[in-house]
Amino acid sequence: MTIDNEDQLDKLRAVGALVARTLAAMGAALEPGMTTRELDDIGRALLEAEGARSAPELTYDFPGATCISVGPDCAHGIPGDTVIKAGDLINIDVSAELDGFFGDTGASFSVPPTTKRIERLCRDGRRAMWAGIRAVRPGGRLNEIGRSIEAFADRNGYSLVRNLASHGVGRSLHDAPKEIPTWHEPRDRRVITEGLVFTIEPFLSLGADWVEELDDGWTLRPPGREATVQYEHTLVATRNGPLVLTLA
């Protein structure tokens, strides 16, 4: 989606703020002993209280309001009876539709006590995302985002999952442009246009460069079970730089 007017921007800001608040509340509620379904129920209640609908439910008939993955799973986890334990690495992905517009955000959380290695992975997952965000400028190439993220990962000894990518968002959950690599793809010649709405969401890992789908048809896990984190914002490319819509 490319924004045409201020009304569209206002509506994208509204849904972006809502998913950001929901993610922050779910992260704050995380504690050992609760189930992922109980955590999902918190997210559902917050979205529905504002008149929003879960985007994965609406778009893909996903069996939950949000995606909650317990490590080594790293994406598209189905909320259920899994009990969260101390030391778990949890990914929460929140996306919603409000007034015809979609917002998408996500983050990984380590449940204390945790190791210094996992704390560093979470910190650097956020840094990798922001390295990509800082590369956004109208007229620049989309692959500069992946170039910046990959450079960060290489400098700090991480790998990037290469079968999960960022994407356009706005009028639908997965809008044009489709599949924006979070690694450098030199053959990608697409240009960032002013007003373009999309996500940036690298999956930074302690060795994984691929994930596989489990038998439930949704959950994604590195075959080597390597710890992997994801951080995601929705943003708009403006002449003044990237405008992040999903800050709490």
Side-chain angles (χ1 to χ4, degrees):
M1 176 184 177
T2 300
I3 289 176
D4 295 323
N5 55 60
E6 284 296 318
D7 181 63
Q8 292 176 345
L9 180 57
D10 288 344
K11 290 178 178 178
L12 285 165
R13 284 183 187 273
V15 69
L18 175 57
V19 296
R21 292 194 303 270
T22 302
L23 176 65
M26 292 175 70
L30 261 177
E31 62 179 11
M34 73 187 311
T35 67
T36 54
R37 180 179 290 111
E38 289 171 331
L39 187 59
D40 184 62
D41 287 343
I42 293 170
R44 180 184 298 281
L46 291 168
L47 294 176
E48 292 181 352
E50 300 292 332
R53 296 183 291 176
S54 160
E57 272 189 343
L58 177 65
T59 305
Y60 299 112
D61 199 25
F62 179 76
T66 66
C67 299
I68 304 174
S69 307
V70 180
D73 304 340
C74 64
H76 301 173
I78 300 171
D81 295 329
T82 299
V83 177
I84 295 167
K85 304 184 299 296
D88 277 344
L89 182 61
I90 310 290
N91 180 264
I92 304 173
D93 196 307
V94 181
S95 55
E97 178 273 334
L98 179 66
D99 202 16
F101 291 83
F102 289 74
D104 193 0
T105 190
S108 296
F109 302 85
S110 57
V111 183
T114 190
T115 66
K116 293 292 185 183
R117 193 181 192 204
I118 295 301
E119 288 178 1
R120 178 176 177 266
L121 175 64
C122 291
R123 179 200 69 191
D124 287 344
R126 291 187 290 269
R127 293 173 67 196
M129 175 188 65
W130 282 103
I133 291 172
R134 286 193 294 270
V136 173
R137 61 179 182 84
R141 293 198 184 276
L142 276 171
N143 68 5
E144 288 299 319
I145 297 168
R147 184 199 296 272
S148 295
I149 295 170
E150 184 173 326
F152 174 87
D154 288 348
R155 283 196 309 271
N156 291 281
Y158 296 105
S159 61
L160 290 162
V161 172
R162 294 178 181 246
N163 63 327
L164 290 172
S166 305
H167 55 88
V169 66
R171 286 293 194 180
S172 62
L173 178 57
H174 292 102
D175 211 332
K178 305 293 186 184
E179 294 192 357
I180 303 168
T182 57
W183 58 93
H184 185 224
E185 177 47 77
R187 294 168 295 182
D188 188 350
R189 313 301 291 174
R190 293 174 296 174
V191 172
I192 300 171
T193 56
E194 185 176 342
L196 189 65
V197 188
F198 57 99
T199 71
I200 292 181
E201 50 175 313
F203 284 78
L204 196 73
S205 180
L206 297 177
D209 59 8
W210 191 263
V211 291
E212 295 178 342
E213 187 176 273
L214 303 189
D215 291 342
D216 63 18
W218 291 103
T219 307
L220 299 175
R221 175 187 296 171
R225 303 175 69 91
E226 298 93 341
T228 302
V229 295
Q230 175 248 27
Y231 293 87
E232 175 184 15
H233 274 312
T234 296
L235 57 93
V236 182
T238 79
R239 66 185 66 185
N240 297 317
L243 173 61
V244 179
L245 299 172
T246 46
L247 291 172

